[in-house]
Amino acid sequence: MSDRMSPVENITFEGKDNESVTLFLQSVKRVAFAQGRQRDQGWLADYVETCLAEKALEWYIALDEETQRNFA
């Protein structure tokens, strides 16, 4: 068995009306589990940030830093 982590899945969430935030978060949790990071709140917050685009990213940028770092 390799010590290398598998590639991280590319997920994008734009915050459109027809997008499900629940399905997005479920996808994020599955990726975190596959990476062995399901309990690593910092990793989760950093990963979610890379998945956001459009309205969702604008919303995220407007949050204070403490809220951005808290994925609980």
Side-chain angles (χ1 to χ4, degrees):
M1 181 181 223
S2 172
D3 288 340
R4 298 173 70 193
M5 292 260 178
S6 59
V8 175
E9 185 177 341
N10 184 16
I11 301 169
T12 301
F13 183 76
E14 297 178 354
K16 293 180 180 178
D17 290 339
N18 64 340
E19 284 182 297
S20 169
V21 70
T22 303
L23 291 177
F24 167 68
L25 292 174
Q26 184 179 44
S27 296
V28 167
K29 294 276 188 168
R30 286 181 177 155
V31 169
F33 184 80
Q35 297 293 316
R37 300 291 191 132
Q38 65 271 25
R39 304 232 186 274
D40 185 340
Q41 297 302 309
W43 186 93
L44 284 162
D46 289 342
Y47 178 63
V48 165
E49 182 179 5
T50 71
C51 297
L52 302 178
E54 305 293 331
K55 285 189 210 178
L57 182 58
E58 292 172 14
W59 168 82
Y60 176 83
I61 290 170
L63 297 173
D64 63 84
E65 189 173 332
E66 182 179 344
T67 303
Q68 288 179 358
R69 299 289 95 208
N70 184 3
F71 192 74

